[in-house]
């Protein structure tokens, strides 16, 4: 699954993700591109009810996206850079995945790839943040594609970058075939420690 977090329809992020999905298809995968453009996805309101129920109470387009994320064996997180960081749409979706907190309802063991497009500064920050997310979700990290492009569709001129996206798709299918399984005894842990964690 390719998750395009650009609000710009048919923009550079979406184009590169599309290329990656073609690579994945060539490797035998069933693929789907999900674009946030035109979708209504509210920010997490911090109610923490999902901690008890495993479900998010906000009934918006994220509910459908939860199902798609859970069904996917591999997810490419794609975002443009907005003000030196991932776009707010990407962060909003990431925050909402706090509801995917059950062993049978989580992103663990899925393959995670990254595509980031920016015109100037901030690409590496988003790449690092997305990788950290992938690792802490106990996913298997695949490659990343970082692209410099500004105007809509400019990435198409970037022959090597387009090829790298295609290869990322192929790689993700090969990694998914390895059926990565995070050892269950280490599944639950605190991310950081302090007096409140005992
Ligand atoms: C609100 C806004 C802020 C942006 N800020 C940055 C930035 O800080 N750094 C950067 O490299 N590019 C920045 N850009 C440029 C986009 O990342 C670039 O145009 C990218 O190709 C957009 O991808 P898309 O076509 O998938 O939406 C910004 C664009 C917008 C609309």
């Amino acid at each position: 699954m390719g998750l395009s977090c650009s609000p710009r329809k048919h923009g550079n992020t979406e184009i590169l993700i599309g290329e990656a999905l073609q690579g994945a298809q060539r490797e035998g995968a069933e693929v789907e591109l999900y674009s946030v453009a035109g979708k209504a996805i509210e920010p997490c309101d911090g109610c923490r009810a999902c901690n008890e129920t495993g479900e998010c109470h906000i009934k918006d387009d994220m509910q459908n996206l939860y199902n798609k994320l859970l069904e996917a064996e591999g997810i490419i997180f794609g975002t443009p850079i907005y003000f030196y960081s991932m776009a707010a749409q990407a962060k909003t979706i990431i925050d909402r995945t706090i509801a995917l907190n059950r062993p049978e309802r989580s992103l663990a063991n899925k393959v995670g790839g990254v595509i980031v497009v920016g015109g100037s500064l901030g690409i590496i920050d988003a790449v690092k943040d997305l990788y950290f997310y992938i690792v802490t979700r106990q996913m298997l990290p695949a490659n990343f594609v970082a692209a410099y492009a500004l105007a809509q569709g400019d990435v198409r001129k970037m022959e090597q970058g387009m090829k790298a996206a295609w290869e990322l798709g192929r790689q993700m299918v090969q990694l998914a075939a390895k059926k990565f399984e995070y050892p269950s005894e280490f599944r639950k842990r605190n991310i950081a420690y302090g007096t409140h964690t005992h």
Side-chain angles (χ1 to χ4, degrees):
M1 174 186 184
L3 172 60
S4 170
C5 296
S6 170
R8 179 154 75 168
K9 278 199 176 91
H10 314 307
N12 294 319
T13 310
E14 209 180 295
I15 292 167
L16 281 171
I17 289 179
E19 198 68 11
L21 294 181
Q22 280 188 29
Q25 222 168 7
R26 176 64 67 88
E27 209 66 19
E30 243 181 77
V31 298
E32 179 170 0
L33 193 150
Y34 184 97
S35 167
V36 302
K39 303 288 193 316
I41 300 181
E42 296 290 314
C44 172
D45 62 7
C47 75
R48 300 307 296 260
C50 63
N51 217 19
E52 305 300 321
T53 64
E55 308 274 340
C56 178
H57 77 96
I58 306 172
K59 303 299 176 227
D60 59 4
D61 287 331
M62 189 68 203
Q63 296 298 336
N64 183 34
L65 182 54
Y66 283 132
N67 295 333
K68 290 182 184 294
L69 291 171
L70 289 169
E71 272 167 27
E73 284 178 70
I75 303 163
I76 297 174
F77 297 94
T79 182
I81 300 299
Y82 276 13
F83 281 91
Y84 323 114
S85 183
M86 69 178 82
Q89 287 80 354
K91 185 60 165 61
T92 300
I93 288 170
I94 283 178
D95 289 351
R96 292 285 298 279
T97 62
I98 197 165
L100 303 180
N101 61 4
R102 299 276 154 105
E104 72 290 354
R105 216 177 127 75
S106 85
L107 300 183
N109 301 330
K110 299 177 188 297
V111 180
V114 170
I115 290 182
V116 175
V117 191
S120 58
L121 291 179
I123 289 183
I124 192 62
D125 302 84
V127 169
K128 284 199 250 185
D129 288 347
L130 288 171
Y131 263 114
F132 191 68
Y133 173 76
I134 284 169
V135 169
T136 54
R137 293 287 88 195
Q138 300 175 343
M139 298 173 78
L140 179 63
N143 275 353
F144 68 91
V145 177
Y148 284 96
L150 199 58
Q152 192 170 26
D154 262 3
V155 281
R156 286 193 202 283
K157 299 179 197 154
M158 195 188 58
E159 205 178 306
Q160 282 188 335
M162 291 289 278
K163 179 87 178 8
W166 197 80
E167 294 290 359
L168 168 63
R170 287 187 56 235
Q171 183 207 25
M172 290 195 55
V173 179
Q174 291 190 17
L175 287 174
K178 299 205 178 292
K179 303 281 175 209
F180 169 70
E181 220 174 299
Y182 201 94
S184 56
E185 69 171 297
F186 302 110
R187 287 285 291 277
K188 201 157 172 45
R189 67 190 174 96
N190 290 314
I191 297 275
Y193 297 89
T195 48
H196 61 292
T197 60
H198 305 294

